Amino acid sequence: MKLLFAALFCCSYFGLFAQTRGQVTIIKDPMIDSLIAKRIALNTKEPGTGTVPYKPGPVVSQMGYRVQAFYGSDRRQVFNEQSRFNSLYPAVNTYITYKEPNYYLRVGDFRTRLEAQRFMNELRSNFPTLFIFREKINAPNLEYNDDPER
């Protein structure tokens, strides 16, 4: 009997301290709403329409080939080689990666090994140590024109 009385007393006692319903106020930066709106606009609009500018570029990444033009442990020297390469071949993308203890300068986004081999033969006079590596590349833009007269 005492146990039943104690249980009823505890239940009524906890009921007195139950919380009442209230209001929740959310305070957030207004930039969050604008970023969400931009994200929705980018995902729903067709390329080239509306106010969102369309920048053509690599959309997909796939497996392909790159030519390694230089490697070394001196960071400054790798960046010098990159600028020298960019002055000779401004249209070709360059990528610098670091795997301890060396920096690697890899160039190009080639779909086939044959394309990479041709480019490597062209580079051989300016860069003595060249290798071809298979890795994930940015898909190069294909020059496609749907004009039937061409």
Side-chain angles (χ1 to χ4, degrees):
M1 182 73 178
K2 289 182 182 180
L3 188 60
L4 181 64
F5 182 68
L8 287 174
F9 179 75
C10 286
C11 290
S12 64
Y13 185 73
F14 288 163
L16 293 175
F17 291 107
Q19 294 180 355
T20 59
R21 292 197 180 254
Q23 286 187 327
V24 176
T25 306
I26 299 174
I27 301 171
K28 65 179 178 179
D29 190 3
M31 289 295 292
I32 293 173
D33 291 329
S34 66
L35 288 173
I36 291 171
K38 284 182 183 180
R39 176 73 177 206
I40 291 171
L42 284 172
N43 289 330
T44 58
K45 292 193 184 246
E46 291 295 320
T49 61
T51 59
V52 179
Y54 176 67
K55 179 184 173 194
V59 179
V60 226
S61 63
Q62 64 185 26
M63 291 306 287
Y65 298 91
R66 288 197 177 130
V67 176
Q68 181 173 298
F70 182 80
Y71 72 95
S73 59
D74 186 14
R75 185 173 184 252
R76 227 178 285 153
Q77 190 177 7
V78 171
F79 282 106
N80 288 340
E81 290 295 320
Q82 182 186 30
S83 63
R84 184 169 74 103
F85 181 87
N86 284 336
S87 66
L88 295 171
Y89 303 96
V92 180
N93 293 333
T94 60
Y95 305 93
I96 293 179
T97 55
Y98 177 71
K99 292 180 187 169
E100 195 172 325
N102 292 323
Y103 291 90
Y104 299 93
L105 173 64
R106 294 186 180 163
V107 297
D109 293 311
F110 303 105
R111 292 177 185 262
T112 64
R113 187 173 181 87
L114 183 62
E115 292 174 1
Q117 184 68 43
R118 286 181 186 153
F119 189 67
M120 188 173 86
N121 291 339
E122 185 179 334
L123 290 177
R124 199 156 299 277
S125 63
N126 295 320
F127 298 92
T129 56
L130 298 170
F131 299 100
I132 296 176
F133 285 91
R134 186 167 197 268
E135 60 186 38
K136 193 172 251 190
I137 63 167
N138 299 324
N141 291 334
L142 298 176
E143 301 297 326
Y144 178 73
N145 187 2
D146 54 350
D147 186 14
E149 295 177 11
R150 284 191 161 189

